[in-house]
Amino acid sequence: MSRALLRSALELRAAGSRPSPKLLRQLPVLSRSFNSTPPIVEPIPQTHVKNAANPTAGEPRPLAFKKSHPTAPPKPIDDSVKTLLPFLVAQPGHYITVHIHGFPYLVQEGDKVRLPFRMPGVMPGDVLRLNRASVIGSRDYTLKGAPHIDERLFECRATVLGTESEPLRIKIKTKRRQRKEKQAKSKHRYTILRISELNLKQVEDIQEPSA
């Protein structure tokens, strides 16, 4: 008796899960109406050719150049610097600590500098203006910046002599309990500069910012 009841219940469940003939007749109509629906096209954002901040509506954005060290507006020179600068200028044998790509170099006029990297965008014979220095001094006087000296007080130029490269180095890297070996090749390139000019300006030649 229980088996007959269980069988009848399973048959009723299977019959309820089947779609009715009326619903089957309506399915092709639903599929046709679904296929005829136009696809949704999202609007494409307007992209500007060049990159800069705050673009206008109808004009392309101008090209934005990234500055690693933005220049601050000039400040008036202290009275102590104006008083002691002539003594520093009058004494010969000046030295300067210039910063090139964040590396400090203590040099004099005529020295050669070997940068521990290849400077991008320079060619042999180019003259570079080194306007970032932290110390300028002579035998008895020293001018220190906080952190850098005003570039209106001096002129330091360097000439690019060329590039050098070290011999190819091959280092074999291994791991414990493994027979595989991996070769790491390295050949660093360096840029050679010569300090061609180092001049300190007089107080009368320094241009003060207009009020």
Side-chain angles (χ1 to χ4, degrees):
M1 188 66 180
S2 60
R3 291 184 180 180
L5 290 175
L6 181 60
R7 189 179 303 169
S8 61
L10 293 176
E11 290 177 357
L12 289 175
R13 185 181 300 177
S17 61
R18 296 175 184 174
S20 61
K22 185 176 180 180
L23 182 60
L24 290 175
R25 285 191 230 106
Q26 295 178 358
L27 284 177
V29 180
L30 292 175
S31 62
R32 284 197 299 270
S33 62
F34 178 77
N35 293 333
S36 61
T37 304
I40 300 174
V41 180
E42 297 182 357
I44 301 175
Q46 296 181 358
T47 57
H48 295 272
V49 179
K50 297 181 180 180
N51 183 20
N54 300 327
T56 55
E59 299 178 0
R61 293 188 275 186
L63 186 63
F65 295 97
K66 181 181 178 182
K67 293 184 178 181
S68 59
H69 299 285
T71 57
K75 298 180 180 179
I77 300 175
D78 297 338
D79 296 336
S80 60
V81 176
K82 293 181 180 180
T83 305
L84 298 177
L85 184 61
F87 298 96
L88 177 61
V89 175
Q91 195 172 33
H94 299 115
Y95 63 89
I96 185 173
T97 302
V98 293
H99 294 256
I100 305 175
H101 286 247
F103 294 90
Y105 300 94
L106 178 62
V107 294
Q108 286 185 324
E109 185 175 352
D111 291 350
K112 289 185 179 181
V113 181
R114 186 188 188 194
L115 304 180
F117 56 89
R118 184 178 180 181
M119 183 179 290
V122 297
M123 297 292 293
D126 293 348
V127 179
L128 309 178
R129 168 75 188 278
L130 307 179
N131 59 349
R132 194 163 294 274
S134 57
V135 176
I136 298 177
S138 61
R139 183 180 180 88
D140 299 326
Y141 300 96
T142 303
L143 177 62
K144 295 183 179 180
H148 302 291
I149 301 173
D150 194 343
E151 62 182 29
R152 296 173 294 173
L153 301 178
F154 67 97
E155 286 185 357
C156 183
R157 289 181 172 86
T159 305
V160 181
L161 300 181
T163 57
E164 293 182 356
S165 60
E166 66 175 5
L168 181 64
R169 296 186 298 176
I170 301 177
K171 183 178 180 180
I172 299 177
K173 295 186 176 182
T174 59
K175 292 184 179 180
R176 291 185 300 175
R177 296 182 294 273
Q178 291 188 9
R179 296 183 179 180
K180 295 181 180 180
E181 294 182 353
K182 187 176 180 181
Q183 293 184 356
K185 300 179 181 180
S186 63
K187 188 175 183 179
H188 297 288
R189 298 182 182 274
Y190 310 99
T191 302
I192 309 301
L193 304 179
R194 186 182 74 247
I195 307 300
S196 57
E197 182 181 353
L198 177 58
N199 296 323
L200 299 182
K201 293 185 178 181
Q202 298 288 343
V203 180
E204 298 80 10
D205 300 336
I206 300 173
Q207 298 180 359
E208 291 287 345
S210 58

